[in-house]
């Protein structure tokens, strides 16, 4: 202590507060310290910053400079003030004489968030972490972009018992912004950091916990929805006994669309108790509430399975259907509740039966046979939306929906076009042999349906092939006059599949879509890629497109478009594809770590078995040092299968460091014909 007093006297510093405890000290260069103090008094901002940094670097031994730091703070720039505050903080409660000055500096509204942060941390370190003015300023700090710049969480992490009462007081502040941020930070205090772990609230004194719960129970009725939403989230975690009230307020907020994930997460953590309360609100007529409830119930933990099962037996069918909708969003849960869900397939309410059927389809289409009769019956509902949605579900089942074919053959014959189109989709997906029934409906959809229906119908007809010949007039009309180019390209592809020997008009439209090969327009590239894919699917009957494709391959604006053109040439003109193969060979030489080569090589897997002429070049590339390219080559070799047997020596002998060895083994097995 004597050394400190002598040092302070040497610096000309008052020792009126010398009775206060001081941090431990070690010898200090007094001459240097005096120079630093002098720089604080008369230096430029740069001089002051250097001086403060030097004083701070000395550590607690520089405590005698505290009065000088306080004096310099009053007229310093924000940058210097921040550095002084950080330095004072290192002295702890021994420098608490600076607290009034720091609090005064933090009070003005709209103080920069960086300054608020530095000053607040200093005030807390000096022994007043619960200072109401400081905490309020911290909550109200504005950063660039006018968002909260200083989350109180850092203060709470360091001083939870001291800061929390001040945050509670801010729940009654006149400013809605301050109240909202106070509630937000109390939600942080109450939230467990991980399942089974205590929250910050659990670690503070019991009287503060009681104050927190009492204040939150008032705040959930705040006039500002933003305050209420955060207060509800905090109360759900803080007080399980007040859960019914919190859920009631949360549902009220959901009616206005004021919900956020923090409250939803808190409800999920509350387990079966919260789940049962939420289920009882599923009959709310407001769609926002129902949608939000279903979303939360879909994510509740395994401990709530019993509550969900009880919900499936709820006397209100709207509630039962809501629980099933939640299960539909979380198919993994269905395995544990299969018996309970299966019972709903025989429910008295058609909405519940349909919802149960959808759950089975979503969970495992291969095991959804019990749901098919329910779905088939729902396709005759008087509600158009129910009919269309159900038919779409049946379509996703594909062949698994075959037991519904008799109903679909009836359903497709009457009603408005939307329903018959959807039923035709079920037939096409379930059993292609029903083409005499669904082809006329798709032809009608092309003539009179929406853009989506026209494009989908053309795709279905393309998959049907020559059996769809009666739809050619409709497709040719679509090819000629459809207002959307993508629809015209889809019609062209369908014509090529159905009548490859009579597809000159379709190929011509696809070639026109390739456009001027030098035109560097992303929109044009989109249609080019679609035309290339259509030509690839048509194959050799589209050989007339080869010259245009060759020109696009040579001078196209983008490497990936040129590469796709090369793939298409090989598909439509295998005998004249040497230029395309040569282009791929050139890029397989791998000139550098990243170049147009990569855009070309990424198209190689699309060649499939047609990549066989490139096998010697692929084997050479397999020895390359660039892993991303080697991975592409491995994929191509795997697609070639036994045709790539000449690559086996390299595959077996190369050092595969950096490459997934499992992938290499899979390629070897494919070449050996073992998979």
């Amino acid at each position: 202590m004597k050394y400190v007093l002598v040092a302070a006297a040497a610096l000309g510093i008052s020792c009126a507060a010398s009775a206060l405890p001081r941090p431990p000290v070690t010898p200090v260069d007094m001459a240097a310290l005096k120079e630093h103090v002098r720089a604080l008094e008369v230096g430029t901002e740069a001089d002051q910053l250097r001086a403060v940094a030097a004083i701070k670097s000395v550590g607690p031994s520089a405590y005698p400079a505290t009065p000088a730091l306080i004096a310099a703070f009053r007229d310093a720039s924000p940058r210097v003030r921040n550095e002084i505050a950080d330095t004072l903080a290192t002295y702890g409660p021994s420098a608490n004489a600076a607290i009034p000055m720091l609090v005064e500096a933090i009070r003005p509204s709209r103080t920069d968030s960086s300054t608020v942060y530095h000053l607040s941390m200093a005030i807390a370190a000096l022994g007043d972490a619960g200072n109401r003015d400081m905490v309020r300023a911290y909550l109200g700090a504005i950063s660039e972009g006018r968002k909260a710049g200083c989350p109180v969480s850092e203060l709470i992490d360091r001083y939870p018992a001291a800061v929390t009462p001040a945050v509670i007081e801010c729940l009654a502040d006149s400013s809605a912004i301050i109240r909202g941020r106070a509630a937000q930070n109390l939600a942080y205090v109450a939230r467990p950091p991980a399942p089974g772990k205590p929250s910050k609230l659990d670690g503070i004194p019991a009287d503060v916990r009681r104050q927190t719960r009492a204040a939150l129970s008032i705040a959930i009725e705040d006039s500002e929805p933003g305050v209420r939403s955060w207060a509800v989230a905090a109360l759900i975690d803080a007080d399980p006994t007040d859960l019914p009230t919190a859920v009631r307020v949360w549902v009220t907020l959901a009616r206005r669309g004021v919900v956020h994930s923090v409250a939803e997460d808190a409800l999920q953590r509350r387990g079966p108790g919260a789940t049962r309360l939420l289920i009882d609100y599923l009959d709310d007529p407001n769609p926002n509430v129902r949608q939000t409830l279903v979303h939360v119930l879909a994510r509740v933990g395994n401990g709530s399975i019993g509550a969900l099962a009880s919900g499936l037996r709820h006397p209100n069918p709207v509630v039962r259907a809501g629980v099933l909708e939640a299960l539909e969003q979380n198919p993994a849960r269905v395995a544990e509740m299969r018996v309970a869900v299966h019972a709903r397939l025989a429910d008295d309410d058609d909405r519940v039966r349909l919802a149960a059927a959808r759950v089975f389809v979503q969970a495992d289409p291969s095991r959804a046979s019990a749901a098919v009769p329910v779905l088939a019956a729902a396709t005759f509902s008087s509600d158009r939306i129910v009919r269309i949605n159900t038919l779409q579900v049946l379509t996703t089942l594909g062949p698994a929906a075959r037991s519904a074919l008799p109903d679909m053959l009836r359903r497709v014959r009457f009603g408005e076009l939307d329903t018959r189109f959807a039923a035709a989709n079920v037939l096409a997906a379930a059993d292609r042999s029903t083409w005499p029934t669904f082809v006329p409906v798709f032809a009608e959809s092309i003539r009179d349906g929406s853009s989506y229906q026209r494009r989908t119908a053309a795709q279905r007809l393309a998959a049907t092939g020559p059996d769809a010949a009666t739809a050619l007039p409709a497709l040719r009309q679509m090819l000629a006059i459809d207002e959307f180019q993508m629809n015209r390209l889809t019609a062209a592809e369908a014509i090529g599949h159905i009548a490859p020997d009579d597809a000159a008009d379709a190929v011509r439209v696809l070639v026109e879509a390739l456009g001027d090969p030098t035109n560097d327009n992303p929109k044009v590239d989109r249609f080019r890629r679609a035309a290339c894919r259509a030509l690839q699917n048509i194959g050799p009957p589209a050989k007339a497109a080869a010259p245009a494709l060759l020109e696009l391959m040579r001078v196209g604006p983008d490497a990936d478009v040129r590469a796709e053109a090369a793939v298409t040439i090989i598909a439509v003109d295998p005998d004249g594809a040497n230029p395309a193969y040569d282009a791929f060979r050139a890029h397989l030489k791998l000139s550098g770590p990243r170049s147009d080569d990569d855009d070309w090589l990424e198209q190689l897997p699309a060649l499939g078995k047609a990549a066989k002429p490139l096998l010697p070049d692929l084997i050479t590339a397999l020895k390359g040092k660039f892993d991303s390219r080697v991975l592409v080559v491995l994929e191509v070799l795997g697609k070639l299968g036994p045709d790539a047997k000449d690559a086996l020596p390299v595959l077996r002998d190369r050092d595969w460091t950096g490459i997934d060895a499992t992938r290499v083994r899979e390629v070897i097995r494919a070449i050996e014909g073992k998979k």
Side-chain angles (χ1 to χ4, degrees), residues 557-582:
D558 294 320
D560 57 342
V561 172
R562 296 197 300 274
E564 188 141 22
V567 171
T568 310
I569 291 169
I570 293 170
V572 304
D573 188 14
D575 296 332
N578 281 337
Y581 282 120
D582 287 342

Side-chain angles (χ1 to χ4, degrees), residues 200-421:
K200 296 287 181 185
L201 186 62
D202 294 328
I204 62 181
D207 62 327
V208 179
R209 293 200 302 273
R210 286 192 295 271
Q211 293 171 29
T212 303
R213 292 164 182 157
L216 287 171
S217 67
I218 296 172
I220 62 172
E221 305 293 348
D222 194 280
S223 60
E224 288 292 328
V227 178
R228 296 212 311 273
S229 63
W230 281 109
V232 163
L235 187 60
I236 291 169
D237 273 325
D239 189 1
T241 64
D242 214 7
L243 199 55
T245 302
V247 170
R248 173 185 58 77
V249 175
W250 180 80
V251 170
T252 301
L253 289 167
R255 291 193 184 102
R256 301 178 59 179
V258 184
V259 292
H260 53 64
S261 61
V262 176
E264 294 176 4
D265 292 344
L267 286 167
Q268 291 157 29
R269 282 191 290 274
R270 279 301 169 203
T275 300
R276 291 188 180 91
L277 289 169
L278 295 174
I279 286 172
D280 284 337
Y281 281 100
L282 277 170
D283 62 348
D284 193 287
N286 187 301
N288 286 336
V289 173
R290 184 178 178 84
Q291 181 180 2
T292 304
L293 286 166
V294 167
H295 175 70
V296 175
L297 290 170
R299 298 161 54 210
V300 296
N302 290 337
S304 292
I305 293 237
L308 290 172
S310 296
L312 291 178
R313 300 188 298 273
H314 196 281
N316 189 331
V318 175
V319 173
R320 299 198 297 275
V323 174
L324 289 164
E325 289 170 25
L327 291 174
E328 186 179 0
Q329 292 186 17
N330 187 358
R333 181 65 46 75
V334 178
E336 304 167 81
M337 301 183 62
R338 191 171 184 84
V339 173
V341 175
H342 191 278
R344 293 306 102 206
L345 289 174
D347 197 277
D348 294 336
D349 188 272
D350 57 354
R351 292 166 298 180
V352 178
R353 293 196 301 274
L354 180 57
R358 292 172 64 97
V359 168
F360 276 116
V361 172
Q362 190 67 26
D364 187 356
S366 67
R367 300 181 63 192
S369 57
V372 173
V374 174
L375 292 168
T379 65
F380 293 92
S381 169
S382 60
D383 187 324
R384 174 185 170 277
I385 293 183
V386 170
R387 293 196 304 272
I388 301 299
N389 288 345
T390 304
L391 287 163
Q392 289 172 345
V393 172
L394 281 169
T395 300
T396 65
L397 287 176
R402 280 200 180 100
S403 62
L405 287 180
D407 290 307
M408 294 304 99
L409 289 170
R410 285 193 303 121
R411 177 69 277 182
V412 82
R413 289 190 176 97
F414 65 91
E416 85 287 358
L417 180 58
D418 288 355
T419 297
R420 290 186 289 112
F421 168 78

Side-chain angles (χ1 to χ4, degrees), residues 36 40 47-57 69 80 83-85 87:
H36 299 326
L40 279 175
D47 294 334
Q48 289 179 318
L49 287 171
R50 283 192 293 270
V52 176
I55 292 171
K56 185 178 181 181
S57 68
L69 291 168
V80 175
E83 295 302 321
I84 290 175
T87 302

Side-chain angles (χ1 to χ4, degrees), residues 524-541:
V524 173
D525 283 346
R526 173 172 172 257
F527 295 125
R528 282 174 176 149
R529 293 188 180 94
C532 283
R533 288 191 291 272
L535 289 166
Q536 290 167 26
N537 288 330
I538 294 173

Side-chain angles (χ1 to χ4, degrees), residues 77-168:
S77 70
R79 288 182 63 196
V80 175
R81 282 187 164 197
N82 291 348
E83 295 302 321
I84 290 175
D86 289 349
T87 302
L88 290 170
T90 64
Y91 302 147
S94 297
N96 62 8
I99 290 176
M101 172 195 71
L102 296 173
V103 172
E104 186 63 28
I106 209 174
R107 277 198 182 111
S109 62
R110 310 191 69 78
T111 304
D112 175 73
S113 64
S114 175
T115 298
V116 171
Y117 174 82
H118 289 279
L119 269 58
S120 297
M121 288 301 165
I123 293 168
L126 297 181
D128 197 6
N131 186 284
R132 272 50 172 176
D133 291 330
M134 179 266 285
V135 171
R136 187 184 188 282
Y138 203 79
L139 287 169
I142 300 295
S143 65
E144 187 176 353
R146 301 178 64 81
K147 294 182 179 179
C150 298
V152 182
S153 56
E154 187 165 348
L155 274 173
I156 291 173
D157 283 340
R158 299 187 187 186
Y159 316 98
V163 173
T164 301
V167 177
I168 292 171

